[in-house]
Amino acid sequence: MTFAAPFTMGPALLFCPADRPERFAKAADRADAVILDLEDAVAPDAKQRARQNLAAAPLNPARTLVRVNAASTAEFETDLAALAATPYRTVMLAKAESVEQVRRLAGFEVIALCETALGVLNAGGLAAEPNVVGLMWGAEDLVASLGGTSSRADDGGYRAVALHARSTVLLSAGAFGKTAIDAVYTAIPDLAGLAAESADAAASGFTAKACIHPSQVAVVREAYAPSEEAVVAAREVLAAAEAAGTGVFQYQGRMIDGPILRHAESVLRCAGV
């Protein structure tokens, strides 16, 4: 089994169109990491200018990803040629579908974006590749690839097929020790909905969530930051485990065993303790 180094960029990743270099520094200041986008956010006639901007307006490579066009497109090789002139070595591969595609990115750390039916079905194989450091999923492209019209029901929640894809990508990433990034929340004014979805992502095991607007960053960060009460509770249960000195014990009316202790350790890790 191949394990990657821990994902250290932070929980709030902000997309920024690569044809808007005046936004690069602002995005970097506001988010934990920036995803410079050469794919959907850039019109076809602006893609070459966007590629030139990667080298002309550099950001910190440790906090920058570049989303390249799908390997099945003619734009892919041109994107790779442009990356050669930059310090960026973390790449998000749009519409990733096969191990052969990520192997074409040898020399890069890859976030495989599973946003087609084939990509979701092959998520486990993608996660097993040594140069893949994480998986992300995308709801809208996925549903479009199925001939559907919307990833969400009238109540705003994901449809069953989207939830299945989300879980598949999370489980595939976890099975191979890779990071999992939750999909964007497209209803920009609905910060309450974003907060709820981000809290669920954090509790479920997603390492980060992608944002499409700067206003979403603070909401995602808050969802991923454990409350003071949660940190205190985690410290107390770990202290109780040390005092008990047994594999399973009762604490405050709850059975405490290995998984519960790992939950507590995750809380402290997210809190930077």
Side-chain angles (χ1 to χ4, degrees), residues 34-120:
V34 178
I35 306 169
L36 298 179
D37 193 6
L38 293 173
E39 198 221 8
D40 282 349
V42 181
D45 61 357
K47 287 188 183 292
Q48 187 54 37
R49 183 170 68 254
R51 296 184 186 102
Q52 295 168 352
N53 292 336
L54 296 182
L59 298 175
N60 179 359
R63 296 180 53 237
T64 306
L65 305 89
V66 178
R67 179 163 73 167
V68 298
N69 287 274
S72 59
T73 69
E75 305 284 357
F76 176 75
E77 292 295 343
T78 312
D79 290 347
L80 293 192
L83 280 171
T86 77
Y88 306 129
R89 290 299 175 266
T90 304
V91 169
M92 179 178 287
L93 177 60
K95 299 174 179 65
E97 294 185 327
S98 70
V99 296
E100 290 77 18
Q101 291 175 348
V102 298
R103 289 172 183 172
R104 293 169 67 183
L105 288 163
F108 293 95
E109 293 188 335
V110 179
I111 301 290
L113 180 46
C114 303
E115 52 185 343
T116 66
L118 184 57
V120 172

Side-chain angles (χ1 to χ4, degrees), residues 80-200:
L80 293 192
L83 280 171
T86 77
Y88 306 129
R89 290 299 175 266
T90 304
V91 169
M92 179 178 287
L93 177 60
K95 299 174 179 65
E97 294 185 327
S98 70
V99 296
E100 290 77 18
Q101 291 175 348
V102 298
R103 289 172 183 172
R104 293 169 67 183
L105 288 163
F108 293 95
E109 293 188 335
V110 179
I111 301 290
L113 180 46
C114 303
E115 52 185 343
T116 66
L118 184 57
V120 172
L121 290 178
N122 288 338
L126 293 168
E129 285 297 296
N131 65 324
V132 172
V133 297
L135 302 181
M136 179 175 159
W137 78 289
E140 304 311 322
D141 278 297
L142 171 64
V143 171
S145 78
L146 298 170
T149 59
S150 174
S151 68
R152 295 183 185 267
D154 292 342
D155 64 0
Y158 279 123
R159 298 185 189 280
V161 66
L163 287 175
H164 176 77
R166 186 179 192 239
S167 297
T168 298
V169 168
L170 176 60
L171 290 168
S172 298
F176 292 93
K178 309 299 175 72
T179 197
I181 300 171
D182 199 22
V184 300
Y185 193 82
T186 58
I188 295 173
D190 182 16
L191 297 182
L194 171 64
E197 189 166 288
S198 300
D200 177 76

Side-chain angles (χ1 to χ4, degrees), residues 224-226 231 266-273:
Y224 272 84
V231 172
S266 293
V267 169
L268 297 185
R269 184 165 55 250
C270 290
V273 178

